[in-house]
């Protein structure tokens, strides 16, 4: 990471103004400052060209609360599933991102409007850095849903979030776990940028003090939180630098076909969809694991 004290201060100042203009500026000062640092890190990560997608994410409805509050909110909004409720109660589910697709007919022209919401579970024993990582993980899903979020395939409408495709009129879901694996690794990279801000002389006193605390946070350059098996496979794919580049671009721009074509050209026709399908079967049985290894071997050989 290369920058100067001056450029980092300008970035943080700009990020503060941007965050304060959103509807999520009513949290306690520490969370607000962590959110400001998250804005700055995402701008550094994605570039100013994607500022609209970043602002849209931070202006999304974000609910942070204890597990009981989150369960009540999900019930109120009719999106609480048994699996999610169980995950929140046993602390395996730290947060989720929900997308509502509203069909609007205006002057005989119909289109879908996508409205995201973020829910994150907080508790007394979670430090601010880890809480922010949970929030950034969900925000990153929203950032990567901004462009081309409705796709038409085989006469069906799909909500696109990153690489994940949800059929709007059925329960069909594609590319869920491979997208989550990439999102976990991207979140870890963004959080690492936040930590590296501590190397610079930041003028804002509150943010400077927060960065000093983050500097000594026991942060290992880890793979990120959640979806460990899938993120490990994605890390193997990342050894092909072009795969990482094209997967990042495909997620934020919505050009999934470009990534699929690249993967299939290195392996065989239909290999990406087969790998993604097997990863969505998690937990994996031995037969699926053998198939995944066979596809991965073909990818590495070319």
């Amino acid at each position: 990471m290369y920058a100067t004290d001056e450029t980092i201060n300008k970035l943080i100042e700009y990020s503060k103004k941007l965050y304060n203009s959103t509807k999520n500026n009513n949290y306690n000062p520490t969370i607000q400052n962590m959110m400001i640092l998250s804005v700055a890190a995402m701008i550094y990560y994605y570039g100013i060209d994607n500022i609209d997608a970043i602002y849209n994410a931070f202006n999304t409805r974000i609910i942070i609360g204890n597990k009981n509050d989150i369960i009540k909110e999900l019930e109120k909004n009719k999106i609480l599933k048994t699996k999610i409720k169980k995950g929140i109660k046993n602390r395996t589910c730290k947060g989720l991102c929900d997308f509502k697709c509203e069909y609007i007919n205006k002057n005989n022209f119909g289109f879908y409007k996508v409205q995201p919401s973020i829910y994150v579970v907080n508790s007394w024993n979670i430090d601010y850095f880890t809480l922010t990582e949970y929030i950034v993980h969900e925000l990153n899903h929203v950032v990567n849903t901004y462009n081309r979020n409705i796709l038409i395939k085989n006469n069906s409408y799909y909500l696109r979030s990153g690489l994940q495709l949800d059929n709007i009129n059925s329960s069909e879901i594609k590319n869920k776990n491979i997208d989550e694996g990439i999102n976990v690794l991207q979140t870890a990279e963004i959080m690492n940028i936040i930590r590296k801000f501590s190397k610079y002389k930041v003028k804002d006193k509150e943010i400077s003090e927060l960065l000093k605390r983050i500097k000594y946070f026991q942060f290992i350059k880890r793979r990120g939180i959640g979806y460990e098996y899938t993120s490990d496979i994605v890390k193997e794919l990342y050894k092909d630098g072009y795969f990482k580049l094209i997967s990042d671009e495909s997620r934020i721009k919505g050009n999934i076909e470009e990534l699929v074509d690249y993967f299939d050209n290195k392996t065989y026709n239909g290999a990406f969809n087969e790998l993604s399908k097997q990863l969505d079967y998690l937990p994996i049985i031995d037969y699926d694991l053998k198939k995944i290894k066979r596809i991965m071997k073909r990818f590495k050989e070319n």
Side-chain angles (χ1 to χ4, degrees):
M1 178 176 180
Y2 175 77
T4 64
D5 292 343
E6 183 182 5
T7 55
I8 292 299
N9 276 293
K10 284 183 177 179
L11 176 59
I12 290 174
E13 183 182 350
Y14 176 77
S15 301
K16 191 173 185 178
K17 289 178 181 177
L18 193 75
Y19 173 72
N20 286 337
S21 70
T22 71
K23 57 190 175 188
N24 293 302
N25 57 7
N26 56 349
Y27 299 109
N28 71 56
T30 304
I31 290 182
Q32 286 193 52
N33 287 328
M34 285 300 294
M35 296 282 266
I36 290 165
L37 288 172
S38 302
V39 174
M42 281 193 163
I43 293 173
Y44 191 97
Y45 187 79
Y46 285 110
I48 200 69
D49 288 347
N50 291 301
I51 193 64
D52 289 342
I54 295 167
Y55 178 79
N56 175 69
F58 281 87
N59 200 38
T60 291
R61 182 171 177 264
I62 303 173
I63 305 298
I64 304 171
N66 63 46
K67 60 184 180 182
N68 292 327
D69 290 339
I70 295 300
I71 288 172
K72 285 179 183 177
E73 280 290 331
L74 294 174
E75 286 175 338
K76 186 172 71 175
N77 290 286
K78 299 179 180 179
I79 55 175
L80 183 65
K81 298 177 181 178
T82 303
K83 187 177 179 180
I84 294 172
K85 187 174 183 178
K86 185 179 178 181
I88 292 173
K89 285 189 172 182
N90 64 24
R91 299 182 182 179
T92 56
C93 177
K94 309 298 185 182
L96 63 97
C97 190
D98 178 64
F99 295 94
K100 292 202 180 300
C101 295
E102 180 187 2
Y103 185 77
I104 297 174
N105 194 320
K106 203 169 186 179
N107 298 324
N108 294 321
F109 177 75
F111 62 93
Y112 281 99
K113 181 180 179 181
V114 178
Q115 296 177 307
S117 297
I118 291 172
Y119 304 85
V120 177
V121 181
N122 189 10
S123 63
W124 65 269
N125 61 340
I126 296 180
D127 58 84
Y128 283 117
F129 194 84
T130 303
L131 176 62
T132 303
E133 186 160 5
Y134 296 157
I135 297 169
V136 169
H137 177 95
E138 304 306 335
L139 284 167
N140 202 47
H141 279 305
V142 181
V143 169
N144 287 282
T145 308
Y146 185 73
N147 298 304
R148 293 189 72 206
N149 48 33
I150 299 295
L151 301 180
I152 303 174
K153 289 180 175 291
N154 300 322
N155 296 320
S156 293
Y157 286 87
Y158 289 86
L159 165 69
R160 183 198 69 82
S161 175
L163 303 181
Q164 181 174 326
L165 297 173
D166 290 46
N167 192 314
I168 291 175
N169 298 310
S170 76
S171 59
E172 179 191 15
I173 300 174
K174 298 179 180 179
N175 306 334
K176 175 176 172 53
N177 281 344
I178 194 166
D179 184 70
E180 287 287 1
I182 294 172
N183 200 62
V184 164
L185 297 182
Q186 285 189 333
T187 300
E189 290 171 345
I190 292 166
M191 296 305 295
N192 203 34
I193 291 171
I194 291 176
R195 187 169 182 269
K196 287 181 178 180
F197 285 153
S198 64
K199 296 179 180 179
Y200 301 91
K201 294 179 181 178
V202 175
K203 293 177 181 178
D204 186 294
K205 290 183 179 180
E206 288 186 358
I207 291 179
S208 178
E209 285 300 315
L210 182 58
L211 286 170
K212 286 177 184 177
R213 288 161 55 192
I214 291 171
K215 183 179 180 180
Y216 296 104
F217 181 83
Q218 294 299 311
F219 179 83
I220 303 169
K221 194 176 181 182
R222 59 182 186 269
R223 59 192 176 188
I225 297 174
Y227 295 90
E228 286 81 4
Y229 184 86
T230 310
S231 60
D232 280 348
I233 288 178
V234 174
K235 280 178 74 175
E236 287 298 308
L237 295 173
Y238 272 7
K239 290 179 180 178
D240 178 335
Y242 191 67
F243 177 88
K244 174 168 172 35
L245 175 67
I246 201 170
S247 65
D248 287 354
E249 288 186 354
S250 295
R251 289 190 83 229
I252 197 159
K253 293 180 180 178
N255 301 323
I256 300 176
E257 301 82 2
E258 193 175 345
L259 178 63
V260 173
D261 289 345
Y262 176 73
F263 191 94
D264 285 1
N265 287 336
K266 286 200 66 174
T267 50
Y268 57 86
N269 188 40
F272 180 87
N273 288 332
E274 184 60 37
L275 175 64
S276 176
K277 184 178 178 181
Q278 296 301 328
L279 291 176
D280 284 342
Y281 285 153
L282 289 171
I284 291 173
I285 59 175
D286 289 342
Y287 174 78
D288 298 324
L289 184 57
K290 289 178 182 177
K291 188 172 287 189
I292 288 170
K293 286 182 176 179
R294 188 162 62 247
I295 296 171
M296 293 294 290
K297 184 179 177 183
R298 286 283 295 270
F299 182 82
K300 292 174 185 177
E301 286 174 347
N302 296 300

